[in-house]
Amino acid sequence: MELTDIPVPGFERLARAVDPESGLQAIICVHDTTLGPSLGGLRMWDYATEEEALFDVKRLARGMTYKSAVARTGLGGGKSVIIGKPATTKSEALYLAMGRFIEAFDGSYITAEDVNTSTADLEIVRRATRHVTGLSRDAGGCGDPSPFTAYGVFLGLREAVAWRRGKADLNGVRVAVQGVGSVGSGLVRHLVTAGAKVLIADRRQDRVASLVDELGVEGVAESEILFADVDVLAPCALGAILDGDSIPQLRCEIVAGAANNVLLAPEHGKLLRDRDILYAPDYVINAGGIIHIAVSLERGGYDEAASNQRVERIPEALRELWSIARAESIPASDAADRLAENILAEARPGVR
Ligand code: NAD
């Protein structure tokens, strides 16, 4: 395997691996380990050029630094990508080579599942390096993080209602949940238990039908959920759904959901603010999963109660950033980044 370090200002380490034997072509990016070893998923994607892959891996690694900082996981941020078509590139030899590549980072990068990689793939990677997390419970891992993500989103959403209305009571509060997969369905259960009136939509009608039957929530058309007349919109499906077209049409006072990169571009945070819609920034409110993974990396391993306790701090992080947003008259999305940067700056050596 040929391993080449590529120096990039502002990033601790970025390296490319090419392994002709297995066909591996991959990049690992460690953005920042000020707060601990970097953690971030292994993505497989058919990038058109290496520049595209580099752009993505850097953006995602930096995002993980910020997410972990605000969630106070004691971890830094990193990411890795394998360049290739998922349908034809995957093989045992490829994942073993990826494991050797990760091993060359000597623990400064820890990997996890991401787009187009599964826990089964990671179990192969694990044979070549122990710096793998998020495996199934059967394989000695911490299992599916989604229930913890859902719990954190629920707590964050309730906090947003409290911030806006002065009391953390969801009884009768109307919430539209877009996407009822692993996280969305868990969120819906928490919301129903708390007395909220829940509207749901999903591309998969079977998922909608079974929750409508089981919980008595209301199913609405996929095209209507974003613009439903509700108190809270909880996007739990796709990213990039809030933009210059959709934001003016929203009929909610709060956006609080699990979906990553829910704003199409940073400036859309300002559009939400201009419409006086309170935003719970995605990477802060959806940190339950990474908090759970971080807890299971600690001595003692998997501990559900400890994970839940840490997830229960998400509302505090939200209040902190909303306070920054109010004090500095900036959008909540910018305030989240400001909070992350403050936490990192305080932890850097030489900073009092
Ligand atoms: P999932 O694939 O289990 O569920 C997503 C659901 O959204 C699916 O049921 C899908 O059919 C539905 N969907 C897709 N397009 C839709 C559309 N246009 N309208 C309505 N529904 C649509 O994924 P998940 O694990 O529940 O994750 C949901 C979101 O939360 C993703 O954006 C993910 O990146 C983010 N997230 C998940 C976790 C986690 O722990 N799973 C952690 C952090 C962030």
Side-chain angles (χ1 to χ4, degrees), residues 15-88:
R16 174 208 297 127
V18 178
D19 182 46
E21 226 166 277
S22 64
L24 180 74
Q25 202 188 339
I27 301 165
I28 296 178
C29 176
V30 173
H31 173 244
D32 192 294
T33 59
T34 304
L35 300 169
S38 70
L39 176 79
L42 167 60
R43 180 167 292 199
M44 184 179 288
W45 198 256
D46 189 18
Y47 295 103
T49 61
E50 193 183 65
E51 276 62 44
E52 250 184 46
L54 282 166
F55 179 81
D56 214 25
V57 78
K58 287 190 295 185
R59 172 181 75 88
L60 295 165
R62 192 193 299 107
M64 290 306 296
T65 299
Y66 280 37
K67 179 171 187 162
S68 255
V70 174
R72 293 172 160 93
T73 60
L75 294 166
K79 199 81 186 179
S80 59
V81 295
I82 295 178
I83 303 170
K85 287 190 177 60
T88 50

Side-chain angles (χ1 to χ4, degrees), residues 43 67 114-115 144-150 153 177-186 200-208 221-223 225 235-239 241 257-262 282-283 285-290 293:
R43 180 167 292 199
K67 179 171 187 162
D114 199 74
V115 178
D144 182 7
S146 305
F148 299 91
T149 306
V153 172
V177 181
Q178 182 189 43
V180 285
S182 310
V183 179
S185 61
I200 62 170
D202 196 293
R203 188 144 283 184
R204 282 190 41 185
Q205 277 314 308
D206 56 324
R207 291 188 167 167
V208 174
E222 194 188 312
S223 58
I225 194 82
C236 296
L238 312 167
I241 53 155
N260 275 316
N261 303 316
V262 80
D282 46 9
Y283 72 79
I285 194 170
N286 74 16
I290 196 172
I293 288 173

